[in-house]
Amino acid sequence: MRRTLVFALCLAPVFARAQDAKPSSEERIKALEERLNKLEGAPAKTSLSAFNPAIGLSIDMSLVDANDKADFNFRAAELNVEAPIDPYLKGWAVITASNQNPAVDAEEATLETTSLPYNLTVRGGRLFAAFGRMAHFHDHELPVIDRPSSLNSYVGGETRADGLEVSYLLPSDLFVNLTAGAYDKMGAANARQDPASARAFDEFTYLARASTYKDIGDDHSVELGLDTAWTPFRTVTENTAVTGNPIASTFHQNTWRTLSGLDFTYRYQPTSGGIYKGVIWGTEVLHNDEGRFDRNTNRSTQRVQSFAGYSYVQVKMGLHWRPGIIIDLTEDQDIAHRLTSTYSAFLTYDVTEFQRLRLAYSEALVNVAGTPRTRTIGLQWTGILGHHVHGFRDR
Amino acid sequence: METIMKTKISIILTLLTAAADAQAALRVVATTPELVDIASRVGGSLVEVQGLAKGTEDIHQVVPRPSFVTKLNRADAVVYLGLTIEHAFLPPLLDVARNPKMRTDAVKECVGPGCIDCSEGVSVLEKPENLSRAEGELHPQGNPHYNAGPDDGPIIARNIAAGLSRVDPAHKADFEKNLKAYLAELDAKLALWRRWVKPLKGMKAVSYHKDVAYLGRFTGLEFVDTLELKPGVAPTPTHLEQLVKEMKEQGVRLIVREQQYDSKMCQWLAEQTGAKIAVIGSMANALPGTETFVKYSEKNLKDLLEAAGKDPS
């Protein structure tokens, strides 16, 4: 009996501890609820690849027939990677493979600050400069198959540039964004400067842009932009192989160039239609003031002022169909009265949000007697894999 | 003389403090109209709430306007549904809003002290097993349309109260008091609505988009299919023919059309199957007289009951 009593007394504290440690049903339910809530709110990415950048790819191809000469055109496979770098910086790169030369090229490799004070943002590296409205769109983002001839001719295609940009958002109810930039040059196909060679700061291109936006009621809005890209000097050396002169002349004075632009966008977007219903009317006018050079001899010719621009209207008719027209007028930068007029009609069919077909017809005419009219018909097919967006600016 | 001077200074300081307090209302941006309503109720006079999406819009297609950027730029907090439902507009807006209190994030949409995610604690339905675009426009974290579930209102309100208290801890007691009053009102409505929807339990229905899971959970309606082929992928003729067959086989008598989607297709489907159409809102203010969460939820339930031939009782 005494042995049993001692045994019971020894075990009693153990049972008591076990009783004390056991949580109540209410506590257990609460703990379970907390765990469940954490699981339900947990991010989808839980693997080691969670910190990898977002990756996307756009594939863009077309079949083009120009004056009865047809061509399957591998326009681009555009790979983008994008991620925050640290609390202060994010970065992205856009690598493009195409049938152009070079076949693989870095279109963008950009760093951008994310937490500067005073509403400032700095971006640098290889970037698409903030000039104009449509010039900084990637090819597959354009509302038409081919970039308007005015942008190809005056900007040099996309506004690709190696340099630095600072932008400032005005802290007000009205959206006003101001941008200043300095670049080696601006324009992917702009051959005025070799981006790989060093030069004096006065041979850089400097940009200033101001843009604003205003809602007019719930369904209408207007957007206005004004910009100028100024290159103070160029150094151009005469091509003696063509001229035959024993000593090459070098031209530096009066070589400045100013490319100015004004862009206007009107949007009708009924709130019940989302992004799939409405009208966009976009217009952009460019003015080029430049000391020109002979294309063969590289000798200075004269200062020429010329204008170019386009205007387009696109109607969004629902989930799938987007017809539109675009008119482009481009004066020759050497001979301003030589005007190329291009009239195009296009019809876009969005199969889904990530797949698109587009049919376009255009006629181009130069106002020089005897110049044949160019008729082009094109069919474009574009698909997007993964996360492939070019941000708020290119909306 | 000195006393008079001191009195004047103290009066001026008191007035300045009062003026500062008057201007100290938190600037809150809410992504949808029902969040504007609940944030206004919970925040009371201590917050000034601005909205982004209109109720008539499809939340998946809200256009990110520059005028939204200026709102977010100066906001102290942004209240959002989360679960990537605002993917079309909130991440690109936060990306350019330059507000250190709220930054864009690939997974959570928003990170920073000003981010108030209303989905925390929601029992998320329809988490996808297979993440592929071949399955349509999926939300990786599950169905994000919990704002259509009346019983998720209290969770939203609690999240907003907790978020506002975090942003402005000095007024935590005020937010909790407002929350208590709002929840009391909501609880009474929920009890009433639960009685209303009893006749809907087990009734089969189809919807245009897969955004009625939470409404289905509350009402007991069994949603068997959608007009869309896959989420975000428009209906095809073949799919609609199969849907007609499926509806007839399963005895589906109710078509739920979210007001932003095509009415003609639903009308055609109703003619083919004899089912009735209920038009509901996916957000507050989608339909006239639904500017608050309570009115929006009540209108949706009434319209479902009416189309189903049942009376709220």
Side-chain angles (χ1 to χ4, degrees), chain B residues 34 37-38 41-42 153-154 157 177-187 292-294:
Chain B
E34 65 280 0
D37 167 53
I38 301 174
R41 291 293 305 271
V42 173
K177 187 181 155 199
N178 294 342
L179 172 68
K180 201 175 167 186
Y182 183 64
L183 288 182
E185 186 184 317
L186 206 52
D187 284 346
T292 67
F293 180 76
V294 167

Side-chain angles (χ1 to χ4, degrees), chain A residues 118-134:
Chain A
Y118 308 114
N119 281 350
L120 290 168
T121 299
V122 175
R123 60 164 67 177
R126 174 160 292 183
L127 45 84
F128 277 18
F131 181 91
R133 154 139 177 79
M134 209 192 282

Side-chain angles (χ1 to χ4, degrees), chain A residues 45-352:
Chain A
K45 291 180 176 180
T46 51
S47 69
L48 289 174
S49 62
F51 293 107
N52 282 351
I55 297 175
L57 179 76
S58 83
I59 298 173
D60 190 15
M61 62 186 80
S62 66
L63 171 63
V64 175
D65 182 310
N67 287 352
D68 298 328
K69 299 275 185 192
D71 181 28
F72 276 109
N73 192 356
F74 168 48
R75 286 159 61 88
E78 193 181 278
L79 178 72
N80 71 297
V81 291
E82 178 185 354
I85 292 168
D86 59 26
Y88 317 108
L89 200 63
K90 67 175 179 179
W92 67 89
V94 180
I95 314 294
T96 302
S98 69
N99 61 358
Q100 306 292 311
N101 187 21
V104 177
D105 203 3
E107 286 206 316
E108 289 185 76
T110 310
L111 301 175
E112 185 177 286
T113 62
T114 55
S115 56
L116 284 184
Y118 308 114
N119 281 350
L120 290 168
T121 299
V122 175
R123 60 164 67 177
R126 174 160 292 183
L127 45 84
F128 277 18
F131 181 91
R133 154 139 177 79
M134 209 192 282
H136 50 70
F137 283 26
H138 285 256
D139 280 345
H140 70 92
E141 294 271 282
L142 293 166
V144 288
I145 296 181
D146 291 319
R147 193 171 294 272
S149 141
S150 49
L151 300 180
N152 272 337
S153 173
Y154 280 52
V155 177
E158 299 156 336
T159 57
R160 187 200 296 184
D162 295 351
L164 204 65
E165 256 180 20
V166 183
S167 73
Y168 172 66
L169 177 69
L170 213 67
S172 68
D173 286 337
L174 181 68
F175 178 87
V176 178
N177 197 59
L178 307 171
T179 306
Y183 323 100
D184 274 358
K185 64 161 190 166
M186 187 179 78
N190 175 3
R192 291 173 180 83
Q193 296 279 17
D194 175 9
S197 63
R199 75 210 64 177
F201 277 111
D202 62 12
E203 293 190 32
F204 279 32
T205 294
Y206 298 93
L207 171 83
R209 173 170 173 83
S211 64
T212 186
Y213 170 96
K214 179 78 180 152
D215 282 322
I216 305 169
D218 285 341
D219 297 344
H220 306 265
S221 67
V222 289
E223 202 164 350
L224 190 65
L226 186 64
D227 33 39
T228 186
W230 176 52
T231 310
F233 287 102
R234 278 174 71 190
T235 300
V236 181
T237 305
E238 176 186 352
N239 185 352
T240 52
V242 176
T243 62
N245 290 335
I247 300 169
S249 301
T250 300
F251 304 94
H252 189 67
Q253 295 302 313
N254 197 28
T255 55
W256 58 269
R257 179 192 184 209
T258 306
L259 176 64
S260 305
L262 174 71
D263 57 274
F264 171 81
T265 309
Y266 161 79
R267 286 185 178 89
Y268 165 63
Q269 283 172 322
T271 51
S272 57
I275 54 174
Y276 296 122
K277 280 185 185 170
V279 175
I280 297 181
W281 170 36
T283 297
E284 194 164 353
V285 179
L286 303 172
H287 173 251
N288 191 49
D289 188 348
E290 182 178 16
R292 301 291 294 178
F293 293 83
D294 186 280
R295 284 174 193 172
N296 297 316
T297 65
N298 273 358
R299 290 190 64 84
S300 174
T301 53
Q302 58 184 328
R303 178 158 290 281
V304 181
Q305 293 196 44
S306 55
F307 285 91
Y310 66 86
S311 186
Y312 80 101
V313 176
Q314 180 181 252
V315 181
K316 295 182 174 184
M317 299 182 68
L319 197 59
H320 297 301
W321 295 100
R322 285 184 285 144
I325 54 167
I326 181 166
I327 297 168
D328 184 277
L329 303 173
T330 303
E331 286 184 342
D332 191 298
Q333 291 168 86
D334 287 307
I335 309 162
H337 60 263
R338 179 183 287 175
L339 178 73
T340 303
S341 310
T342 310
Y343 306 93
S344 308
F346 54 91
L347 178 64
T348 303
Y349 181 78
D350 295 300
V351 182
T352 63

Side-chain angles (χ1 to χ4, degrees), chain A residues 30-47:
Chain A
K30 195 177 175 189
L32 276 170
E33 277 180 350
E34 281 174 6
R35 285 179 60 193
L36 194 63
N37 287 345
K38 278 181 189 168
L39 284 171
E40 282 175 338
K45 291 180 176 180
T46 51
S47 69

